[in-house]
Amino acid sequence: MSKLPGIVVTGASGRMGRMLIEAVCASDAARLVGAVEQPGHDWIGQDAGTAMGNAPVGVTVTDDPLECFAAAHAVIDFTAPAATLDYALLAAQARAVHVIGTTGLSEADIAKIDAAARHAAVIRAGNMSLGVNLLTRLVARVAAALDDSYDIEVVESHHRHKVDAPSGTALMLGEAAAEGRGVNLGAMSDRGRDGMTGAREPGRIGFSAIRGGDIIGTHDVIFAGQGETITLSHVATDRCLFARGAVKAALWGVGKPPGHYDMLDVLGLN
């Protein structure tokens, strides 16, 4: 057991943190060696399993990430942009694989993660599910096959507590569509239409975000042409799929050279 790759989970008390702890503990290919929370959190000093209301797992929640990272092969991080940047530096220092599921990262944030990836493997994806990553390849191929007489809209739905929009997955799908079209997404995206916006410009890629209830995640990419509409969809019904994908990514990253990877690399689709 002690020879299995050791994984640290950050943001241990969060919804994804709890699922990640359970996924690592359930894996027969990995072991949980650390659980990190912010200083002052009431989980600090408690066994991670006990804090979750489950059986003890033999790992005490700590607010000292560097000590944890130094003893780990990989870190799985679904937190917030500011925390993720701190963890990226520490994971690089510890030469630990850093699996990032955090969304809402800016271009400046990603540049800092790129710098950390010069020292250790970083695997970053807006969505860790197999289905979504397959969908990105399909979106790119359909976008390449259809000209700009087909308007592209990315529509995403999430629970009321999600704080960023468009979702990381929606942006992944938008990037795939832009790749297929051979255009820059930043220059061609439309977001948050309101009021007298005028007619749609050909070639633009639109985004719409729905927030409500406990929706886990639904994403539609619509190709709307004259006389027909093609819709590619993904519906998540269980958040555990993201945790399982993250564990798969962490295990794949162990032993890989420094670099900035994504789930398409993990799945052998790049």
Side-chain angles (χ1 to χ4, degrees):
M1 178 69 72
S2 62
K3 293 183 180 180
L4 295 178
I7 296 178
V8 172
V9 173
T10 63
S13 71
R15 185 180 312 187
M16 277 306 303
R18 295 171 189 238
M19 289 186 180
L20 288 164
I21 288 171
E22 291 179 344
V24 174
C25 290
S27 172
D28 58 5
R31 60 195 171 97
L32 184 71
V33 296
V36 176
E37 258 304 341
Q38 296 296 312
H41 196 282
D42 59 8
W43 278 29
I44 303 298
Q46 295 190 59
D47 181 276
T50 303
M52 292 166 53
N54 299 332
V57 295
V59 171
T60 301
V61 181
T62 180
D63 59 3
D64 185 353
L66 183 56
E67 182 180 5
C68 273
F69 292 6
H73 295 87
V75 176
I76 304 180
D77 173 21
F78 283 67
T79 54
T84 290
L85 293 183
D86 290 339
Y87 294 143
L89 293 174
L90 296 176
Q93 184 177 337
R95 302 299 190 265
V97 178
H98 189 190
V99 177
I100 301 174
T102 303
T103 58
L105 295 162
S106 68
E107 290 186 9
D109 295 335
I110 293 169
K112 292 177 181 177
I113 292 169
D114 283 336
R118 292 198 287 267
H119 304 283
V122 173
I123 304 163
R124 183 179 63 86
N127 193 300
M128 298 284 175
S129 83
L130 172 62
V132 161
N133 284 278
L134 288 172
L135 182 60
T136 63
R137 296 297 84 197
L138 292 173
V139 168
R141 294 188 67 175
V142 173
L146 302 176
D147 62 27
D148 65 8
S149 67
Y150 285 80
D151 299 319
I152 302 175
E153 289 283 320
V154 182
V155 183
E156 53 102 343
S157 303
H158 283 88
H159 54 88
R160 67 178 64 180
H161 302 293
K162 188 166 180 60
V163 298
D164 59 309
S167 69
T169 303
L171 292 172
M172 282 174 58
L173 295 168
E175 288 285 1
E179 175 191 331
R181 283 273 170 91
V183 299
N184 179 277
L185 180 62
M188 296 301 291
S189 65
D190 281 335
R191 305 187 190 182
R193 301 185 187 95
D194 185 30
M196 296 294 293
T197 61
R200 182 187 178 115
E201 296 179 29
R204 306 290 289 186
I205 298 173
F207 290 85
S208 298
I210 297 167
R211 296 290 177 266
D214 61 355
I215 301 169
I216 292 174
T218 299
H219 293 84
D220 297 318
V221 183
I222 301 167
F223 296 85
Q226 296 297 312
E228 66 177 353
T229 298
I230 303 160
T231 303
L232 302 177
S233 298
H234 181 270
V235 179
T237 57
D238 185 347
R239 284 188 181 83
C240 289
L241 72 95
F242 307 127
R244 290 192 295 268
V247 173
K248 179 182 180 71
L251 293 173
W252 177 90
V254 174
K256 293 294 187 296
H260 198 159
Y261 303 96
D262 60 23
M263 282 299 287
L264 294 177
D265 294 307
V266 175
L267 299 171
L269 296 175
N270 269 340

